[in-house]
Amino acid sequence: MAAYDKADLERRMAGAVESLKHDLAGLRTGRASVTLLDPVTVEVYGAHMPLVQVATVSAPEPRLLSVQVWDKSNVGPVDKAIRSAGLGLNPIVDGQTLRLPIPDLTEERRKELAKLAGKYAENARIAVRNVRRDGMDSLKTDEKKGEFGEDDRKRHEGDVQKLTDATIADIDATAAAKEKEILGK
């Protein structure tokens, strides 16, 4: 059985791109996005839970998030969790609903977010290169086992390299679009 599996490599590289898109979606660009609160965890019932498991998050206006807390006793912990998440948001408590006005981004904060977007993109590139290395290693192993000859290995290596180049180009384009959005250019 050959260790080289092109479909598996494609799936893993696509996973790196999806992970990058998810990370970038959480970066605030001055517009309200429900994914902004994805990293927030709330300490309730003696455990740390994702915010989405204790409340409904919606974006009723372009510059406002609304968090409807299901259990009244969790309003305080949710408020505290959002304030301490480092997102620069200050909730306004209104009964069981927290309103989160999205402030304008300062130029300094925009640059920080653009830098963070670049870091996310580099992590995705590293993940793709690791998948490429795994693919190349399995090709060499298969050739040593006699699964196929040197010509086939070289052809498959070319396929893996093309796949890697295309995936990294996708990562670069995604990151560039996000940085442009963050910097408002």
Side-chain angles (χ1 to χ4, degrees), residues 36-37 39-43 48 51 75-91 98 100 109:
L36 181 60
L37 298 177
V40 177
T41 57
V42 186
E43 194 171 337
H48 287 276
L51 178 65
V75 172
V78 168
D79 179 38
K80 182 181 172 207
I82 293 171
R83 287 179 192 277
S84 62
L87 298 170
L89 299 173
N90 293 310
L98 283 79
L100 304 164
R109 182 71 179 137

Side-chain angles (χ1 to χ4, degrees), residues 77-139:
V78 168
D79 179 38
K80 182 181 172 207
I82 293 171
R83 287 179 192 277
S84 62
L87 298 170
L89 299 173
N90 293 310
I92 301 161
V93 180
D94 180 14
Q96 280 183 244
T97 304
L98 283 79
R99 289 194 315 274
L100 304 164
I102 307 292
D104 279 330
L105 292 173
T106 63
E107 189 60 33
E108 186 181 322
R109 182 71 179 137
R110 285 180 189 276
K111 286 182 179 154
E112 283 173 24
L113 288 173
K115 204 179 276 184
L116 189 57
K119 194 176 112 194
Y120 287 161
E122 185 53 33
N123 289 343
R125 284 187 210 99
I126 289 168
V128 167
R129 288 194 290 264
N130 287 339
V131 173
R132 175 191 174 277
R133 187 191 61 229
D134 291 347
M136 294 297 195
D137 289 349
S138 65
L139 284 170

Side-chain angles (χ1 to χ4, degrees), residues 29-77:
T29 58
R31 284 198 304 272
S33 166
V34 293
T35 57
L36 181 60
L37 298 177
D38 280 356
V40 177
T41 57
V42 186
E43 194 171 337
V44 288
Y45 312 121
H48 287 276
M49 299 174 74
L51 178 65
V52 295
Q53 289 184 4
V54 295
T56 304
V57 180
S58 61
E61 297 172 31
R63 302 192 57 84
L64 180 76
L65 284 176
S66 174
V67 179
Q68 179 70 43
V69 183
W70 301 329
D71 183 346
K72 194 171 186 141
S73 65
N74 292 337
V75 172

